[in-house]
Structure formats: C-alpha cells, structure tokens
Amino acid sequence: MPNTSSAKKRLRQNAKRRLHNRSIKSKMRSQIRRVREATSAGELDKARDEFRVAAKRLDQASAKNIIHQNAAARTKSRLNRMIKAAAEK
C-alpha cells in the first residue's frame, strides 16, 4: 500500500485510467469480432461497414498508447485482407 500522499493519488489515478483503458480495449475487440463474424457469414457489405468502425477504434486506441501503433496497423491489414479474400470467393 502507498505511504505518501502522492503515491495514494497515483494509485487512485491508475485505477481510473485502468478502467478507462479496459473499456476502450474491450470496445475495440468487440468491433474486431463483429468484422470477423460478418466476414465469415458472407455479409460483405456489413463487414465493410464494421471494418470502418473497427479501423477508427484501432486508431484511437493506438493514439492513446493503449495498443502499439504497429499492432493496430497489423490488425487493420489482416481484417482488410480477410474481407478481400471473402469477396473473391
């Protein structure tokens, strides 16, 4: 447990930030799941719409350093490639 007043404040701030970051990460993951589900179901129009939202969520998370910038780019690339592969079938 923290002893100094500044350490107590940091503990409170860290708890708030952790909840905030977890909610952003959870929304991001849910959106990625929606893209994958729509793609596997063959609903390409829905998948493309969901991908736009997912790309936005990934960019926002990487801008706030919740995930690494390269991880966001890699995920967007893989989702886009998945949608294009499904469109070719």
Side-chain angles (χ1 to χ4, degrees):
M1 289 302 297
N3 293 321
T4 63
S5 60
S6 61
K8 289 175 187 174
K9 181 176 179 181
R10 287 311 255 163
L11 186 67
R12 290 194 307 269
Q13 289 176 329
N14 289 339
K16 270 189 194 176
R17 287 194 179 114
R18 179 172 171 264
L19 287 175
H20 184 250
N21 291 344
R22 281 181 68 186
S23 71
I24 291 173
K25 203 177 244 191
S26 175
K27 288 175 188 174
M28 179 191 72
R29 287 179 178 152
S30 297
Q31 193 61 40
I32 291 168
R33 182 176 38 79
R34 286 189 197 105
V35 174
R36 289 194 174 123
E37 287 174 354
T39 305
S40 63
E43 301 169 345
L44 294 179
D45 290 334
K46 182 180 178 188
R48 288 185 185 105
D49 292 339
E50 297 289 354
F51 174 73
R52 283 190 203 96
V53 179
K56 181 179 177 182
R57 293 253 165 93
L58 283 162
D59 288 337
Q60 286 173 339
S62 69
K64 294 175 181 175
N65 288 324
I66 295 170
I67 61 169
H68 195 273
Q69 185 177 358
N70 291 354
R74 182 176 61 242
T75 306
K76 288 192 296 187
S77 175
R78 288 177 180 171
L79 289 174
N80 199 22
R81 198 170 18 155
M82 187 187 304
I83 292 170
K84 285 184 178 180
E88 290 177 0
K89 289 182 183 178

Coordinates of all heavy atoms in Angstrom, one line a residue:
M1 N 0.8 -1.2 0.0 CA 0.0 0.0 0.0 C 0.9 1.2 0.0 O 2.0 1.2 0.6 CB -0.9 0.0 1.2 CG -2.0 -1.0 1.2 SD -3.1 -0.9 -0.2 CE -3.8 0.7 0.1
P2 N 0.4 2.3 -0.7 CA 1.2 3.5 -0.7 C 1.3 4.2 0.7 O 0.3 4.2 1.4 CB 0.5 4.4 -1.7 CG -0.9 3.8 -1.7 CD -0.8 2.4 -1.4
N3 N 2.4 4.9 0.9 CA 2.6 5.6 2.1 C 2.4 7.1 2.0 O 1.8 7.7 2.8 CB 3.9 5.3 2.7 CG 4.0 3.8 3.1 OD1 3.1 3.3 3.7 ND2 5.2 3.2 2.9
T4 N 3.0 7.6 1.0 CA 2.9 9.1 0.8 C 1.6 9.5 0.1 O 0.9 8.7 -0.5 CB 4.1 9.6 -0.1 OG1 4.0 9.0 -1.4 CG2 5.4 9.2 0.6
S5 N 1.3 10.8 0.3 CA 0.0 11.3 -0.3 C 0.1 11.2 -1.8 O -0.9 11.0 -2.5 CB -0.3 12.7 0.2 OG 0.8 13.5 -0.1
S6 N 1.3 11.5 -2.4 CA 1.4 11.5 -3.8 C 1.2 10.1 -4.4 O 0.6 9.9 -5.4 CB 2.7 12.1 -4.3 OG 3.8 11.4 -3.8
A7 N 1.7 9.1 -3.6 CA 1.6 7.7 -4.0 C 0.2 7.3 -3.9 O -0.3 6.5 -4.8 CB 2.5 6.8 -3.2
K8 N -0.6 7.7 -2.9 CA -2.0 7.4 -2.8 C -2.8 8.0 -4.0 O -3.7 7.3 -4.6 CB -2.5 8.0 -1.5 CG -2.0 7.2 -0.3 CD -2.5 7.9 1.0 CE -1.9 7.2 2.2 NZ -2.2 7.8 3.5
K9 N -2.4 9.2 -4.4 CA -3.1 9.9 -5.5 C -2.8 9.1 -6.8 O -3.7 8.9 -7.6 CB -2.6 11.3 -5.6 CG -3.3 12.0 -6.8 CD -2.9 13.5 -6.8 CE -3.6 14.2 -8.0 NZ -3.2 15.6 -8.1
R10 N -1.5 8.7 -7.0 CA -1.2 7.9 -8.2 C -2.0 6.6 -8.2 O -2.4 6.2 -9.3 CB 0.3 7.6 -8.2 CG 1.2 8.7 -8.5 CD 0.8 9.5 -9.7 NE 1.6 9.3 -10.8 CZ 1.3 9.5 -12.1 NH1 0.2 10.1 -12.4 NH2 2.2 9.3 -13.0
L11 N -2.2 6.0 -7.1 CA -2.9 4.7 -7.0 C -4.4 5.0 -7.5 O -4.9 4.2 -8.3 CB -2.9 4.1 -5.6 CG -3.6 2.8 -5.5 CD1 -2.8 1.7 -6.2 CD2 -3.7 2.4 -4.0
R12 N -5.0 6.1 -7.1 CA -6.3 6.4 -7.5 C -6.3 6.7 -9.0 O -7.2 6.2 -9.7 CB -6.8 7.6 -6.7 CG -7.1 7.4 -5.3 CD -7.9 8.6 -4.7 NE -7.4 9.9 -4.9 CZ -6.5 10.5 -4.1 NH1 -6.1 9.9 -3.0 NH2 -6.1 11.7 -4.3
Q13 N -5.4 7.5 -9.5 CA -5.3 7.8 -10.9 C -5.1 6.5 -11.8 O -5.8 6.4 -12.8 CB -4.2 8.8 -11.2 CG -4.5 10.2 -10.7 CD -3.3 11.1 -10.9 OE1 -2.1 10.6 -10.9 NE2 -3.6 12.4 -11.1
N14 N -4.3 5.6 -11.3 CA -4.0 4.4 -12.0 C -5.2 3.5 -12.1 O -5.5 2.9 -13.2 CB -2.9 3.6 -11.4 CG -1.5 4.3 -11.6 OD1 -1.4 5.1 -12.5 ND2 -0.6 4.0 -10.8
A15 N -6.0 3.5 -11.1 CA -7.2 2.7 -11.1 C -8.2 3.3 -12.1 O -8.9 2.5 -12.8 CB -7.8 2.7 -9.7
K16 N -8.4 4.6 -12.1 CA -9.3 5.2 -13.1 C -8.9 5.0 -14.5 O -9.7 4.6 -15.4 CB -9.3 6.7 -12.8 CG -10.4 7.2 -11.9 CD -10.4 8.7 -11.9 CE -11.2 9.3 -10.7 NZ -11.1 10.8 -10.7
R17 N -7.6 5.2 -14.7 CA -7.0 5.0 -16.1 C -7.2 3.6 -16.5 O -7.4 3.3 -17.7 CB -5.6 5.5 -16.1 CG -5.4 7.0 -16.1 CD -4.1 7.4 -16.5 NE -4.0 8.9 -16.4 CZ -3.3 9.5 -15.5 NH1 -2.5 8.9 -14.7 NH2 -3.3 10.9 -15.5
R18 N -6.9 2.6 -15.6 CA -7.0 1.2 -16.0 C -8.4 0.9 -16.4 O -8.6 0.2 -17.5 CB -6.7 0.4 -14.8 CG -6.7 -1.1 -15.1 CD -6.2 -1.9 -13.9 NE -6.4 -3.3 -14.1 CZ -7.4 -4.0 -13.6 NH1 -8.3 -3.3 -12.8 NH2 -7.6 -5.3 -13.8
L19 N -9.5 1.4 -15.7 CA -10.8 1.1 -16.1 C -11.1 1.7 -17.5 O -11.8 1.1 -18.3 CB -11.8 1.7 -15.1 CG -11.9 0.9 -13.8 CD1 -12.8 1.6 -12.8 CD2 -12.4 -0.5 -14.0
H20 N -10.7 3.0 -17.7 CA -10.9 3.7 -18.9 C -10.2 2.9 -20.1 O -10.8 2.7 -21.2 CB -10.3 5.1 -18.8 CG -10.6 5.9 -20.0 ND1 -9.6 6.3 -20.9 CD2 -11.7 6.4 -20.5 CE1 -10.1 7.0 -21.9 NE2 -11.4 7.1 -21.7
N21 N -9.0 2.5 -19.9 CA -8.2 1.8 -20.9 C -8.9 0.4 -21.2 O -9.0 0.0 -22.4 CB -6.8 1.6 -20.5 CG -6.0 2.9 -20.5 OD1 -6.4 3.9 -21.1 ND2 -4.9 2.9 -19.9
R22 N -9.4 -0.2 -20.2 CA -10.0 -1.5 -20.4 C -11.3 -1.4 -21.2 O -11.6 -2.3 -22.1 CB -10.3 -2.2 -19.0 CG -9.1 -2.8 -18.4 CD -9.5 -3.5 -17.1 NE -10.4 -4.6 -17.3 CZ -11.0 -5.3 -16.3 NH1 -10.8 -5.0 -15.1 NH2 -11.7 -6.3 -16.6
S23 N -12.0 -0.3 -21.0 CA -13.3 -0.1 -21.7 C -13.0 0.1 -23.2 O -13.7 -0.4 -24.1 CB -14.1 1.0 -21.1 OG -13.5 2.2 -21.4
I24 N -11.9 0.9 -23.5 CA -11.6 1.2 -24.8 C -11.1 -0.1 -25.5 O -11.5 -0.4 -26.7 CB -10.5 2.3 -24.9 CG1 -11.0 3.6 -24.5 CG2 -9.8 2.4 -26.3 CD1 -10.0 4.7 -24.3
K25 N -10.3 -0.9 -24.9 CA -9.8 -2.1 -25.4 C -10.9 -3.1 -25.7 O -10.9 -3.8 -26.7 CB -8.7 -2.7 -24.5 CG -7.8 -3.6 -25.2 CD -6.7 -4.1 -24.2 CE -5.4 -3.6 -24.6 NZ -4.3 -4.3 -23.8
S26 N -11.9 -3.1 -24.8 CA -13.0 -4.1 -24.9 C -13.9 -3.7 -26.1 O -14.3 -4.5 -26.9 CB -13.8 -4.0 -23.6 OG -15.0 -4.8 -23.8
K27 N -14.1 -2.4 -26.3 CA -14.9 -1.9 -27.4 C -14.2 -2.2 -28.7 O -14.8 -2.6 -29.7 CB -15.2 -0.4 -27.3 CG -16.2 -0.1 -26.2 CD -16.3 1.4 -26.1 CE -17.2 1.8 -24.9 NZ -17.2 3.2 -24.7
M28 N -12.9 -2.0 -28.7 CA -12.1 -2.3 -29.9 C -12.2 -3.8 -30.3 O -12.4 -4.2 -31.4 CB -10.6 -1.9 -29.6 CG -9.7 -2.1 -30.7 SD -8.0 -1.9 -30.2 CE -7.8 -3.4 -29.1
R29 N -12.0 -4.7 -29.3 CA -12.0 -6.1 -29.5 C -13.4 -6.6 -30.0 O -13.5 -7.4 -30.9 CB -11.6 -6.9 -28.3 CG -10.2 -6.8 -27.9 CD -9.9 -7.6 -26.7 NE -8.5 -7.5 -26.3 CZ -8.0 -7.6 -25.1 NH1 -8.8 -7.7 -24.1 NH2 -6.7 -7.6 -24.9
S30 N -14.4 -6.0 -29.4 CA -15.8 -6.4 -29.8 C -16.0 -6.0 -31.3 O -16.7 -6.7 -32.0 CB -16.8 -5.7 -28.9 OG -16.7 -6.1 -27.6
Q31 N -15.5 -4.8 -31.7 CA -15.7 -4.4 -33.0 C -14.9 -5.3 -34.0 O -15.4 -5.6 -35.1 CB -15.2 -2.9 -33.2 CG -15.7 -2.3 -34.5 CD -17.2 -2.2 -34.6 OE1 -17.9 -2.0 -33.7 NE2 -17.6 -2.5 -35.8
I32 N -13.7 -5.7 -33.6 CA -13.0 -6.6 -34.5 C -13.7 -7.9 -34.6 O -13.8 -8.5 -35.7 CB -11.6 -6.8 -33.9 CG1 -10.7 -5.5 -34.0 CG2 -10.8 -8.0 -34.5 CD1 -9.5 -5.5 -33.2
R33 N -14.3 -8.4 -33.5 CA -15.1 -9.6 -33.6 C -16.3 -9.5 -34.5 O -16.6 -10.4 -35.3 CB -15.6 -10.0 -32.2 CG -16.3 -11.3 -32.1 CD -16.7 -11.7 -30.7 NE -17.1 -10.6 -29.8 CZ -18.3 -10.0 -29.9 NH1 -19.2 -10.4 -30.7 NH2 -18.6 -9.1 -29.0
R34 N -16.9 -8.3 -34.5 CA -18.1 -8.1 -35.4 C -17.6 -8.2 -36.9 O -18.3 -8.7 -37.7 CB -18.7 -6.8 -35.1 CG -19.5 -6.8 -33.9 CD -20.3 -5.5 -33.8 NE -20.8 -5.3 -32.4 CZ -20.2 -4.4 -31.5 NH1 -19.3 -3.6 -31.9 NH2 -20.7 -4.3 -30.3
V35 N -16.5 -7.7 -37.2 CA -15.9 -7.7 -38.6 C -15.7 -9.2 -39.0 O -16.1 -9.6 -40.0 CB -14.6 -6.9 -38.7 CG1 -14.0 -7.1 -40.1 CG2 -14.9 -5.4 -38.4
R36 N -15.1 -9.9 -38.1 CA -14.7 -11.3 -38.4 C -16.0 -12.2 -38.5 O -16.1 -13.0 -39.4 CB -13.9 -11.9 -37.3 CG -12.5 -11.4 -37.3 CD -11.5 -12.2 -36.4 NE -10.2 -11.7 -36.6 CZ -9.4 -11.2 -35.6 NH1 -9.8 -11.3 -34.4 NH2 -8.2 -10.8 -35.9
E37 N -17.0 -11.9 -37.7 CA -18.3 -12.7 -37.8 C -19.0 -12.4 -39.1 O -19.5 -13.3 -39.7 CB -19.1 -12.4 -36.6 CG -18.6 -13.0 -35.3 CD -19.4 -12.6 -34.1 OE1 -20.3 -11.7 -34.2 OE2 -19.2 -13.2 -33.0
A38 N -19.0 -11.1 -39.4 CA -19.7 -10.7 -40.7 C -19.0 -11.3 -41.9 O -19.7 -11.7 -42.8 CB -19.8 -9.2 -40.8
T39 N -17.7 -11.3 -41.8 CA -16.9 -11.8 -43.0 C -17.2 -13.3 -43.1 O -17.4 -13.8 -44.2 CB -15.4 -11.5 -42.8 OG1 -15.3 -10.1 -42.6 CG2 -14.7 -12.0 -44.0
S40 N -17.1 -14.0 -42.0 CA -17.3 -15.5 -42.1 C -18.7 -15.9 -42.5 O -18.9 -16.9 -43.1 CB -16.9 -16.1 -40.7 OG -17.8 -15.7 -39.7
A41 N -19.7 -15.0 -42.2 CA -21.1 -15.2 -42.5 C -21.3 -14.9 -44.0 O -22.4 -15.1 -44.5 CB -22.0 -14.5 -41.6
G42 N -20.4 -14.2 -44.6 CA -20.6 -13.8 -46.0 C -21.3 -12.5 -46.2 O -21.6 -12.2 -47.4
E43 N -21.5 -11.8 -45.2 CA -22.2 -10.5 -45.3 C -21.1 -9.4 -45.5 O -20.7 -8.7 -44.6 CB -23.0 -10.2 -44.0 CG -24.0 -11.2 -43.7 CD -24.6 -11.1 -42.3 OE1 -24.0 -10.4 -41.5 OE2 -25.6 -11.7 -42.0
L44 N -20.7 -9.2 -46.8 CA -19.6 -8.4 -47.1 C -19.9 -6.9 -46.9 O -19.0 -6.1 -46.5 CB -19.1 -8.6 -48.5 CG -18.5 -10.0 -48.7 CD1 -18.1 -10.2 -50.2 CD2 -17.3 -10.3 -47.8
D45 N -21.1 -6.5 -47.2 CA -21.4 -5.0 -47.0 C -21.4 -4.7 -45.5 O -20.8 -3.6 -45.2 CB -22.8 -4.7 -47.6 CG -22.8 -4.8 -49.1 OD1 -21.7 -4.6 -49.7 OD2 -23.9 -5.0 -49.7
K46 N -21.9 -5.6 -44.7 CA -21.9 -5.3 -43.3 C -20.5 -5.4 -42.8 O -20.1 -4.6 -41.9 CB -22.8 -6.4 -42.6 CG -22.8 -6.2 -41.1 CD -23.7 -7.2 -40.4 CE -23.7 -7.0 -38.9 NZ -24.3 -8.1 -38.2
A47 N -19.7 -6.3 -43.3 CA -18.3 -6.4 -42.9 C -17.5 -5.2 -43.2 O -16.7 -4.7 -42.4 CB -17.6 -7.6 -43.5
R48 N -17.7 -4.6 -44.4 CA -17.0 -3.4 -44.7 C -17.4 -2.2 -43.8 O -16.6 -1.4 -43.4 CB -17.3 -3.0 -46.2 CG -16.6 -3.9 -47.2 CD -16.8 -3.5 -48.6 NE -16.2 -4.5 -49.5 CZ -16.9 -5.3 -50.2 NH1 -18.3 -5.3 -50.2 NH2 -16.3 -6.2 -51.0
D49 N -18.7 -2.1 -43.5 CA -19.2 -1.0 -42.6 C -18.6 -1.2 -41.2 O -18.1 -0.3 -40.6 CB -20.7 -1.0 -42.5 CG -21.4 -0.6 -43.8 OD1 -20.7 0.1 -44.6 OD2 -22.6 -0.9 -44.0
E50 N -18.6 -2.5 -40.7 CA -18.0 -2.8 -39.4 C -16.5 -2.5 -39.4 O -15.9 -2.1 -38.4 CB -18.3 -4.2 -39.0 CG -19.8 -4.5 -38.8 CD -20.4 -3.9 -37.6 OE1 -19.7 -3.3 -36.8 OE2 -21.6 -4.0 -37.5
F51 N -15.8 -2.8 -40.6 CA -14.4 -2.6 -40.7 C -14.0 -1.1 -40.5 O -13.0 -0.7 -39.9 CB -13.8 -3.1 -42.0 CG -12.4 -2.8 -42.2 CD1 -11.4 -3.4 -41.5 CD2 -12.0 -1.8 -43.1 CE1 -10.1 -3.1 -41.7 CE2 -10.7 -1.5 -43.3 CZ -9.7 -2.1 -42.6
R52 N -14.9 -0.2 -41.1 CA -14.6 1.2 -40.9 C -14.6 1.6 -39.4 O -13.7 2.4 -39.0 CB -15.6 2.0 -41.7 CG -15.4 2.1 -43.2 CD -16.3 3.1 -43.9 NE -16.5 2.7 -45.3 CZ -17.5 2.0 -45.8 NH1 -18.4 1.6 -45.0 NH2 -17.5 1.7 -47.0
V53 N -15.6 1.1 -38.7 CA -15.7 1.5 -37.3 C -14.5 0.8 -36.5 O -13.9 1.4 -35.7 CB -17.0 1.0 -36.7 CG1 -17.1 1.3 -35.2 CG2 -18.2 1.6 -37.5
A54 N -14.1 -0.4 -36.9 CA -13.0 -1.1 -36.2 C -11.7 -0.3 -36.5 O -10.9 -0.2 -35.6 CB -12.9 -2.5 -36.7
A55 N -11.5 0.1 -37.7 CA -10.3 0.9 -38.0 C -10.2 2.1 -37.2 O -9.1 2.5 -36.7 CB -10.2 1.2 -39.5
K56 N -11.3 2.8 -37.0 CA -11.4 4.0 -36.2 C -11.0 3.7 -34.7 O -10.2 4.4 -34.1 CB -12.8 4.6 -36.3 CG -12.9 5.9 -35.5 CD -14.3 6.5 -35.6 CE -14.5 7.7 -34.8 NZ -15.8 8.3 -34.9
R57 N -11.6 2.6 -34.2 CA -11.4 2.2 -32.8 C -9.9 1.8 -32.6 O -9.3 2.2 -31.6 CB -12.3 1.0 -32.4 CG -13.7 1.4 -32.3 CD -14.2 1.5 -30.9 NE -15.5 2.1 -30.8 CZ -16.7 1.5 -30.8 NH1 -16.7 0.2 -30.9 NH2 -17.8 2.2 -30.6
L58 N -9.3 1.1 -33.6 CA -7.9 0.7 -33.5 C -7.0 2.0 -33.5 O -6.1 2.1 -32.8 CB -7.6 -0.2 -34.7 CG -8.0 -1.6 -34.5 CD1 -8.0 -2.3 -35.9 CD2 -7.2 -2.4 -33.5
D59 N -7.3 2.9 -34.4 CA -6.5 4.2 -34.5 C -6.6 5.0 -33.2 O -5.6 5.5 -32.7 CB -7.0 5.0 -35.7 CG -6.6 4.4 -37.0 OD1 -5.6 3.6 -37.0 OD2 -7.2 4.7 -38.0
Q60 N -7.8 5.0 -32.6 CA -8.0 5.8 -31.4 C -7.2 5.1 -30.2 O -6.6 5.8 -29.4 CB -9.5 5.8 -31.0 CG -10.2 6.8 -31.9 CD -11.7 6.8 -31.6 OE1 -12.3 5.8 -31.1 NE2 -12.4 7.8 -32.0
A61 N -7.2 3.8 -30.2 CA -6.5 3.1 -29.1 C -5.0 3.2 -29.3 O -4.3 3.4 -28.3 CB -6.9 1.6 -29.2
S62 N -4.5 3.2 -30.5 CA -3.1 3.4 -30.8 C -2.7 4.8 -30.5 O -1.6 5.1 -30.0 CB -2.7 3.0 -32.2 OG -3.2 3.8 -33.1
A63 N -3.5 5.8 -30.8 CA -3.2 7.2 -30.5 C -3.1 7.4 -29.0 O -2.3 8.3 -28.6 CB -4.3 8.1 -31.1
K64 N -3.8 6.7 -28.2 CA -3.7 6.9 -26.7 C -2.8 5.9 -26.1 O -2.8 5.7 -24.9 CB -5.1 6.7 -26.2 CG -6.1 7.8 -26.6 CD -7.5 7.5 -26.1 CE -8.4 8.6 -26.6 NZ -9.8 8.4 -26.2
N65 N -2.0 5.2 -26.9 CA -1.0 4.2 -26.4 C -1.6 3.1 -25.6 O -0.9 2.5 -24.7 CB 0.1 4.9 -25.6 CG 1.0 5.7 -26.5 OD1 1.3 5.4 -27.6 ND2 1.5 6.9 -26.0
I66 N -2.8 2.7 -25.9 CA -3.4 1.6 -25.3 C -2.9 0.3 -26.0 O -2.7 -0.7 -25.3 CB -4.9 1.7 -25.3 CG1 -5.3 2.9 -24.5 CG2 -5.6 0.4 -24.8 CD1 -6.8 3.3 -24.6
I67 N -2.8 0.4 -27.3 CA -2.1 -0.7 -28.1 C -1.0 0.0 -28.9 O -1.0 1.2 -29.1 CB -3.0 -1.5 -29.0 CG1 -3.7 -0.6 -30.0 CG2 -4.0 -2.3 -28.1 CD1 -4.4 -1.4 -31.1
H68 N 0.0 -0.8 -29.3 CA 1.1 -0.2 -30.1 C 0.6 0.1 -31.5 O -0.3 -0.5 -32.1 CB 2.2 -1.2 -30.2 CG 3.5 -0.7 -30.7 ND1 3.8 -0.5 -32.0 CD2 4.5 -0.1 -30.0 CE1 5.0 0.0 -32.1 NE2 5.5 0.3 -30.9
Q69 N 1.2 1.1 -32.1 CA 0.8 1.6 -33.4 C 0.9 0.5 -34.5 O 0.0 0.4 -35.3 CB 1.6 2.8 -33.8 CG 1.2 3.5 -35.1 CD 2.1 4.7 -35.4 OE1 2.9 5.1 -34.6 NE2 1.8 5.4 -36.5
N70 N 2.0 -0.2 -34.4 CA 2.2 -1.3 -35.4 C 1.2 -2.4 -35.2 O 0.8 -3.1 -36.2 CB 3.6 -1.9 -35.3 CG 4.6 -0.9 -35.7 OD1 4.3 0.2 -36.2 ND2 5.9 -1.3 -35.6
A71 N 0.8 -2.7 -34.0 CA -0.3 -3.7 -33.7 C -1.6 -3.3 -34.3 O -2.3 -4.1 -34.9 CB -0.4 -3.9 -32.2
A72 N -1.9 -2.0 -34.3 CA -3.2 -1.5 -34.9 C -3.1 -1.6 -36.4 O -4.0 -2.1 -37.0 CB -3.4 -0.1 -34.5
A73 N -2.0 -1.3 -37.0 CA -1.8 -1.3 -38.4 C -1.9 -2.8 -38.9 O -2.5 -3.1 -39.9 CB -0.5 -0.7 -38.8
R74 N -1.2 -3.7 -38.1 CA -1.2 -5.1 -38.5 C -2.7 -5.7 -38.4 O -3.1 -6.4 -39.3 CB -0.3 -5.9 -37.5 CG -0.2 -7.3 -37.8 CD 0.8 -8.0 -36.9 NE 0.4 -7.9 -35.5 CZ 1.1 -7.3 -34.5 NH1 2.3 -6.7 -34.9 NH2 0.7 -7.2 -33.3
T75 N -3.4 -5.3 -37.4 CA -4.8 -5.8 -37.3 C -5.7 -5.3 -38.4 O -6.5 -6.1 -39.0 CB -5.3 -5.4 -35.9 OG1 -4.5 -5.9 -34.9 CG2 -6.7 -6.0 -35.7
K76 N -5.5 -4.0 -38.7 CA -6.3 -3.4 -39.8 C -6.0 -4.1 -41.1 O -6.9 -4.4 -41.9 CB -6.1 -1.9 -39.9 CG -6.7 -1.1 -38.8 CD -6.6 0.3 -39.1 CE -5.2 0.9 -39.2 NZ -5.2 2.4 -39.4
S77 N -4.7 -4.4 -41.3 CA -4.3 -5.0 -42.6 C -4.9 -6.5 -42.7 O -5.4 -6.9 -43.7 CB -2.8 -5.1 -42.6 OG -2.3 -5.8 -43.7
R78 N -4.8 -7.2 -41.6 CA -5.3 -8.6 -41.6 C -6.8 -8.6 -41.8 O -7.4 -9.5 -42.5 CB -5.0 -9.3 -40.3 CG -3.5 -9.6 -40.2 CD -3.1 -10.2 -38.9 NE -1.7 -10.5 -38.9 CZ -1.0 -11.0 -37.8 NH1 -1.7 -11.1 -36.7 NH2 0.3 -11.2 -37.9
L79 N -7.6 -7.7 -41.2 CA -9.0 -7.6 -41.3 C -9.4 -7.3 -42.8 O -10.3 -7.9 -43.4 CB -9.6 -6.6 -40.4 CG -9.6 -7.0 -38.9 CD1 -10.1 -5.8 -38.1 CD2 -10.5 -8.2 -38.6
N80 N -8.7 -6.3 -43.3 CA -8.9 -5.9 -44.7 C -8.6 -7.0 -45.7 O -9.4 -7.3 -46.6 CB -8.1 -4.7 -45.1 CG -8.6 -3.9 -46.2 OD1 -9.8 -4.0 -46.6 ND2 -7.8 -3.2 -46.9
R81 N -7.5 -7.7 -45.4 CA -7.2 -8.9 -46.3 C -8.2 -10.0 -46.2 O -8.6 -10.6 -47.2 CB -5.8 -9.4 -45.9 CG -5.2 -10.3 -46.9 CD -3.7 -10.6 -46.5 NE -3.4 -10.4 -45.1 CZ -2.4 -11.0 -44.5 NH1 -1.7 -11.8 -45.1 NH2 -2.2 -10.7 -43.2
M82 N -8.8 -10.2 -45.0 CA -9.8 -11.2 -44.8 C -11.1 -10.8 -45.6 O -11.7 -11.7 -46.2 CB -10.2 -11.3 -43.3 CG -11.1 -12.4 -42.9 SD -11.6 -12.3 -41.2 CE -10.0 -12.3 -40.3
I83 N -11.5 -9.6 -45.6 CA -12.6 -9.1 -46.3 C -12.4 -9.3 -47.8 O -13.3 -9.7 -48.5 CB -13.0 -7.6 -46.0 CG1 -13.5 -7.6 -44.5 CG2 -14.1 -7.1 -46.9 CD1 -13.6 -6.2 -44.0
K84 N -11.2 -8.9 -48.3 CA -11.0 -9.0 -49.7 C -10.9 -10.5 -50.2 O -11.4 -10.8 -51.3 CB -9.6 -8.4 -50.1 CG -9.7 -6.9 -50.1 CD -8.4 -6.3 -50.5 CE -8.5 -4.7 -50.5 NZ -7.2 -4.1 -50.9
A85 N -10.4 -11.4 -49.3 CA -10.4 -12.8 -49.7 C -11.8 -13.3 -49.7 O -12.1 -14.2 -50.6 CB -9.6 -13.5 -48.7
A86 N -12.7 -12.9 -48.8 CA -14.1 -13.4 -48.8 C -14.8 -12.8 -50.1 O -15.7 -13.5 -50.6 CB -14.8 -12.9 -47.6
A87 N -14.4 -11.6 -50.5 CA -15.1 -11.1 -51.7 C -14.7 -11.8 -53.0 O -15.5 -11.9 -53.9 CB -14.7 -9.6 -51.8
E88 N -13.5 -12.4 -53.0 CA -13.1 -13.1 -54.2 C -13.8 -14.4 -54.4 O -13.8 -14.9 -55.5 CB -11.6 -13.3 -54.2 CG -10.8 -12.0 -54.4 CD -9.3 -12.2 -54.2 OE1 -8.8 -13.4 -54.0 OE2 -8.6 -11.2 -54.4
K89 N -14.2 -15.0 -53.3 CA -14.9 -16.3 -53.3 C -16.2 -16.3 -54.1 O -16.9 -15.5 -54.2 CB -15.0 -16.9 -51.9 CG -13.7 -17.3 -51.3 CD -13.9 -17.9 -50.0 CE -12.6 -18.2 -49.3 NZ -12.8 -18.8 -48.0

